[in-house]
Amino acid sequence: MTARKLAAGNWKMNGLAADLAEVEALAKAHPSPAVDVLICPPATLIAPMCTRIAGSAIAVGGQDCHAVEKGAHTGDISAQMLADAGATNVILGHSERRTDHYETDASVRLKTQAAWSADLVAIVCIGETLGEREDGETLDIVGGQLAGSLPDGCTAANTVVAYEPVWAIGTGKVPTLDQIAEVHDFLRARLEERFGAEGAGIPLLYGGSVKPSNADEIFGVSNVDGALVGGASLKAADFGGIIEALERAE
Ligand code: 13P
């Protein structure tokens, strides 16, 4: 099984109603992309974004969900609520949430199961810090996060894994292509060991300072099936360039 290709945008805590014009422009510029395209806006924009681009090829996702379906959890959003608003995917365990909200591999694993219960695809994020890389611990760290954050039952249809080195996020710094290949090949082997043929089909995204100008070379790396894009997903022209690079990739 080969993994499907996915260009995913993470708007993080950016975007007001006026910014929906960007995603509308993106949908118009890419009416039938040859790869899957997803935008994950802040939760307030999920429903209006779905309305604005209804009938387009662009899917909409959330950026986090709670591990339970409903209850006394002020300020949280459940996977069912994301799905009800029109989301089909949810980003889980992003390094900003692991830092800002003390999320652990165990909590990400529970959230992944919650996402599946609501028929959402879970995009599970992992990645090492600069200190961990400098100490030569990258594969140990990402291997541990992968094992701990993914529940049993991952399939090519219900899970995406995003490798995002913490030091490459929003910094303009990108690992070398050899460094990306080393991690992605390692993650693919681990996914196949644990999930067999399904593990071969789980899309592996790279994330961290992806731009139209570096997307072609990143998408040429072995076992890179797409990207999780922050800053460059906010503008239709930039994200469109990344989509086109992924369409060109073998
Ligand atoms: P940047 O593309 O802004 O570096 O962010 C990457 C990221 O964190 C996507 O989830």
Side-chain angles (χ1 to χ4, degrees):
M1 194 187 297
T2 52
R4 67 195 164 88
K5 295 194 181 300
L6 171 63
N10 174 9
W11 280 18
K12 307 190 179 183
M13 200 173 73
N14 299 290
L16 300 173
D19 299 300
L20 294 173
E22 289 298 328
V23 80
E24 190 175 2
L26 186 73
K28 284 210 173 100
H30 297 273
S32 47
V35 298
D36 290 354
V37 178
L38 168 72
I39 299 281
C40 301
T44 48
L45 289 184
I46 291 174
M49 186 175 283
C50 289
T51 304
R52 188 80 165 249
I53 58 168
S56 82
I58 301 175
V60 178
Q63 299 177 10
D64 174 52
C65 69
H66 197 278
V68 304
E69 193 176 329
K70 61 183 172 187
H73 300 286
T74 302
D76 278 313
I77 295 182
S78 73
Q80 280 74 10
M81 291 168 184
L82 296 176
D84 191 48
T88 52
N89 291 246
V90 60
I91 298 168
L92 296 172
H94 191 283
S95 65
E96 287 151 15
R97 292 205 59 87
R98 290 178 187 257
T99 302
D100 295 354
H101 299 277
Y102 311 104
E103 291 193 6
T104 62
D105 292 340
S107 66
V108 175
R109 191 167 67 241
L110 292 175
K111 288 173 180 221
T112 301
Q113 288 169 318
W116 294 346
S117 306
D119 287 328
L120 297 178
V121 176
I123 302 177
V124 176
C125 303
I126 58 176
E128 83 287 1
T129 63
L130 186 57
E132 289 162 346
R133 177 161 284 278
E134 286 172 349
D135 289 346
E137 294 173 345
T138 299
L139 297 185
D140 281 349
I141 293 292
V142 297
Q145 291 174 332
L146 190 78
S149 302
L150 296 183
D152 290 338
C154 286
T155 69
N158 69 15
T159 303
V160 172
V161 172
Y163 167 57
E164 301 203 305
V166 177
W167 52 275
I169 294 175
T171 58
K173 290 187 191 139
V174 180
T176 65
L177 301 181
D178 284 348
Q179 287 173 326
I180 297 175
E182 181 189 30
V183 174
H184 278 242
D185 288 348
F186 169 81
L187 294 174
R188 176 65 69 211
R190 285 286 168 97
L191 288 172
E192 288 182 359
E193 257 168 50
R194 183 161 168 204
F195 303 111
E198 292 294 331
I202 292 175
L204 269 174
L205 309 184
Y206 167 78
S209 298
V210 178
K211 310 181 279 260
S213 59
N214 63 16
D216 278 302
E217 58 179 21
I218 291 171
F219 295 148
V221 173
S222 103
N223 283 310
V224 173
D225 305 307
L228 183 56
V229 183
S233 71
L234 295 170
K235 292 287 169 213
D238 291 341
F239 198 51
I242 292 168
I243 292 168
E244 286 161 23
L246 189 57
E247 288 176 324
R248 281 192 292 275
E250 290 287 299

